[in-house]
Amino acid sequence: MSFTLTVAPIARASSSSSSSSSSTTFSARTVASRATHPHPRSARSMSTHAAASESIAAQIGITGVHHVAIIVESLERSMEFYGDMLGLEINPERPEDKLPYRGAWLWIGPEMIHLMELPNPDCTHVEFRPTHGGRDRHFCIGVKNLKPLTDCLDARGVAYTASKSGRPAIFFRDPDANTLEVVEGLQWR
């Protein structure tokens, strides 16, 4: 048994729209597995399938997110934001001279943020980005206590919005319009 998901095309004002749609077929087993085990860590309790039917994620053994890379215009300005304001520390073991551009690797718990000083292909004008950061590309940081951060953002005049889901989370932007989400008490490990 299989299910077909049909997606209608999105019309764009600047280009001619096509009337075609795309569809993706999922097996009943895949749909049932995702419904029963929506998170990969929950799927670990499933019985082991033959190697041929094992997911690529299981075959390669994903261990976590190593780093998130973001493009910045000025490394100094970004270090004031991420280092001075947020207090993220530089990972001194990451090479500074191996890449053909300036950058910094900052610890964010056991993972890192890689600041890359490069020309940005995306629009960095905040007025052209979604007002609520939850509707834009973002990365999420889990914290134990959100209040010191909101106090800091208020004191420095950095705008933020509360999560629309009702959970204790905020979204705010760095000086290059990259969006950060910070959520309190999220237990994912």
Side-chain angles (χ1 to χ4, degrees):
M1 177 179 210
S2 66
F3 302 91
T4 301
L5 174 66
T6 302
V7 181
I10 297 173
R12 299 197 185 271
S14 62
S15 65
S16 63
S17 63
S18 120
S19 61
S20 66
S21 63
S22 62
S23 63
T24 304
T25 302
F26 297 98
S27 70
R29 180 171 144 188
T30 300
V31 172
S33 173
R34 288 183 182 168
T36 309
H37 304 286
H39 191 279
R41 292 172 197 238
S42 301
R44 289 182 185 156
S45 62
M46 295 172 47
S47 61
T48 306
H49 301 288
S53 66
E54 189 175 39
S55 74
I56 293 298
Q59 291 177 46
I60 63 175
I62 294 174
T63 59
V65 174
H66 182 267
H67 70 275
V68 173
I70 58 174
I71 296 173
V72 301
E73 182 180 323
S74 165
L75 188 57
E76 289 76 17
R77 182 178 68 177
S78 295
M79 285 304 299
E80 287 176 13
F81 182 85
Y82 288 97
D84 297 343
M85 187 179 93
L86 296 180
L88 302 183
E89 297 179 11
I90 292 177
N91 178 351
E93 307 218 353
R94 297 302 302 172
E96 291 183 32
D97 59 346
K98 302 286 185 203
L99 299 171
Y101 53 85
R102 296 177 65 217
W105 296 82
L106 306 174
W107 284 114
I108 186 164
E111 290 86 19
M112 292 174 282
I113 296 175
H114 183 196
L115 302 178
M116 303 183 306
E117 189 179 79
L118 292 167
N120 196 333
D122 294 329
C123 178
T124 59
H125 298 286
V126 175
E127 62 270 15
F128 298 114
R129 304 296 288 267
T131 303
H132 178 58
R135 295 180 178 258
D136 203 353
R137 290 181 302 268
H138 63 275
F139 62 93
C140 181
I141 303 167
V143 298
K144 294 177 184 175
N145 186 1
L146 195 55
K147 178 119 176 65
L149 175 61
T150 57
D151 291 345
C152 174
L153 296 174
D154 288 337
R156 293 188 180 231
V158 177
Y160 59 90
T161 57
S163 174
K164 305 294 185 192
S165 70
R167 62 199 165 96
I170 61 168
F171 294 85
F172 60 99
R173 296 185 187 278
D174 74 4
D176 294 287
N178 295 303
T179 305
L180 290 79
E181 176 183 8
V182 179
V183 62
E184 179 180 283
L186 183 64
Q187 299 299 318
W188 70 90
R189 296 182 191 215

